[in-house]
Amino acid sequence: MALRSEDARLEEEIAALEGEYESIRLAMDVLESANATLQNRFSPELGRRAAEIFSALTDGKYSGVVLDRAFHLSAEQAGDSVYRPSALLSAGAADQLYLAVRLAICDLVLPGEDPAPIVLDDALASFDNDRCAAALRWLKEEGKRRQILLFTCHSREAAFFAGDGEVSVQRLTADA
């Protein structure tokens, strides 16, 4: 009698676990389908917008950006049909590419007539002076559409905009 009772209890437990497994499998299928739909809609537009920004940040040196299903980035030099993974780019170009993608995401998920501000904290710290200047020119242009707040502990960004009446520079310390 005890064995039959234990057998019945185990059969019920197996049935419950199989039901739970089936629910998890169904949820995973739905999530994979939603992910594929999101990638098919979002990824091409993200790549297109990131390519526009990346081209501006690199003064036209790069013309294309591709994100694969795992969101690994590759970039295409202007006039070249070969996309190079971001790991094969110079450190400076890779930094520009990642900034371009972050800015493109902001543009796509925060659009509208009154777009949300973008807040950047030392986003240009690893850029050399030429890359920094290109990024600041792009940010100034984007600042005509939305507010850009760029925080940095460096002074070159403020020096770049010295005398530019369209850009407000606020120093938090007297010696910055």
Side-chain angles (χ1 to χ4, degrees), residues 99 102-103 118-127 139 148-154 157 172:
L99 176 62
R102 290 193 315 262
L103 293 169
I118 295 176
V119 179
L120 302 169
D121 185 13
D122 262 340
L124 313 178
S126 64
F127 285 23
L139 290 170
I148 308 282
L149 301 173
L150 175 61
F151 293 92
T152 184
C153 61
H154 303 283
E157 289 84 351
L172 300 180

Side-chain angles (χ1 to χ4, degrees), residues 57-79:
L57 294 178
T58 61
D59 292 323
K61 184 175 180 183
Y62 289 89
S63 59
V65 172
V66 172
L67 289 86
D68 67 13
R69 291 212 173 267
F71 287 101
H72 294 117
L73 290 168
S74 297
E76 175 188 46
Q77 279 191 306

Side-chain angles (χ1 to χ4, degrees), residues 7-169:
D7 183 50
R9 186 189 68 74
L10 290 174
E11 289 293 332
E12 287 177 14
E13 188 175 334
I14 288 171
L17 290 172
E18 285 175 344
E20 186 177 326
Y21 173 79
E22 183 60 26
S23 296
I24 291 171
R25 189 189 63 72
L26 179 61
M28 291 295 293
D29 289 346
V30 169
L31 287 173
E32 286 175 15
S33 175
N35 184 44
T37 300
L38 178 65
Q39 285 183 356
N40 289 338
R41 279 192 318 196
F42 189 70
S43 185
E45 184 63 17
L46 178 59
R48 184 197 63 72
R49 184 65 182 130
E52 290 173 359
I53 297 169
F54 190 44
S55 179
L57 294 178
T58 61
D59 292 323
K61 184 175 180 183
Y62 289 89
S63 59
V65 172
V66 172
L67 289 86
D68 67 13
R69 291 212 173 267
F71 287 101
H72 294 117
L73 290 168
S74 297
E76 175 188 46
Q77 279 191 306
D80 190 356
S81 61
V82 177
Y83 281 85
R84 290 174 179 77
S86 61
L88 298 180
L89 300 176
S90 70
D95 287 343
Q96 287 174 303
L97 177 59
Y98 290 117
L99 176 62
V101 171
R102 290 193 315 262
L103 293 169
I105 290 170
C106 289
D107 202 32
L108 295 175
V109 299
L110 303 170
E113 294 175 14
D114 187 22
I118 295 176
V119 179
L120 302 169
D121 185 13
D122 262 340
L124 313 178
S126 64
F127 285 23
D128 63 27
N129 289 337
D130 291 338
R131 286 183 166 100
C132 182
L136 291 172
R137 284 191 299 272
W138 189 90
L139 290 170
K140 179 182 176 183
E141 190 61 32
E142 180 66 8
K144 294 176 182 175
R145 286 188 338 103
R146 72 171 75 225
Q147 183 179 28
I148 308 282
L149 301 173
L150 175 61
F151 293 92
T152 184
C153 61
H154 303 283
S155 59
R156 69 178 174 172
E157 289 84 351
F160 181 85
F161 288 119
D164 187 330
E166 296 178 343
V167 176
S168 175
V169 175

